[in-house]
Amino acid sequence: EHLGRAVNRGEIAISLRLPLARSADAPLVLPAEFVSDRALRCSLPPSAAPGAALLSLSTGGLPTASASGDAHGEGERAHITFRYYAPCALLRLRPNAGPLQGGTLVSCSGRGFVPTGEIIARFSAGGVETCVPAAYICESEVRFLSPGFHDAGETRVQLALNGSVFDESALTFHYQSHGCSLQ
């Protein structure tokens, strides 16, 4: 309850040190929203560079213990690490078609894939979205199984390296009512 009152009064914030920031640069101070007695939420700004950002909790400008997670000590200030990724580029799906019941092993070629352990592929068409886990193979390939879909036709395929924020680039996967696939 004390934490909630402090957040509501603006006394608690998140300090953010972006990737490639010099140690002499002051961290960004971001407002935090109280979610529960154990959780805060804030919106992080984009980073000009990929890499690790350091987040720490502060009250009234004074550092406090970090939130649960991957905590590290930094002098007197504890922090957690948040990783920014460079946008990936999707270049090709192979095969680019499969049956409505799904189950087609799809190889996605591209650039900038990283082994986050959280990669997902989203198939969307006609207001329906289905997400499936994707396996990192290398910096230029991920693989996933196509999900079953409702209607034959084109679906938009996008990737989220962190499991939640989808890259803007997309490729097309064609669902067919019969079992043959296009290469």
Side-chain angles (χ1 to χ4, degrees), residues 5-162:
R5 284 194 310 258
V7 170
N8 290 334
R9 289 191 308 260
E11 296 172 0
I12 297 210
I14 303 293
S15 295
L16 171 67
R17 187 170 299 281
L18 290 169
L20 301 181
R22 297 183 311 251
S23 59
D25 293 342
L28 299 173
V29 178
L30 307 170
E33 174 187 351
F34 180 67
V35 177
S36 73
D37 63 343
R38 305 183 126 251
L40 296 173
R41 178 181 7 209
C42 71
S43 294
L44 300 180
S47 174
L54 305 178
L55 296 165
S56 58
L57 183 62
S58 60
T59 57
L62 301 172
T64 67
S66 72
S68 64
D70 186 16
H72 306 281
E74 180 186 271
E76 295 180 12
R77 185 173 223 165
H79 65 266
I80 58 173
T81 301
F82 177 85
R83 183 156 300 278
Y84 281 94
Y85 298 104
C88 60
L90 309 183
L91 301 176
R92 182 177 183 184
L93 296 178
R94 181 179 262 167
N96 67 350
L100 283 174
Q101 67 265 25
T104 301
L105 178 61
V106 180
S107 173
C108 179
S109 301
R111 290 188 305 270
F113 302 142
V114 292
T116 64
E118 299 177 320
I119 303 172
I120 59 174
R122 177 171 67 189
F123 288 69
S124 57
V128 175
E129 295 180 349
T130 302
C131 294
V132 296
Y136 172 86
I137 304 302
C138 65
E139 196 268 345
S140 61
E141 181 183 8
V142 297
R143 293 180 189 162
F144 45 86
L145 292 175
S146 66
F149 223 71
H150 52 88
D151 291 320
E154 293 183 355
T155 59
R156 181 177 162 96
V157 178
Q158 295 174 282
L159 291 181
L161 296 178
N162 67 359

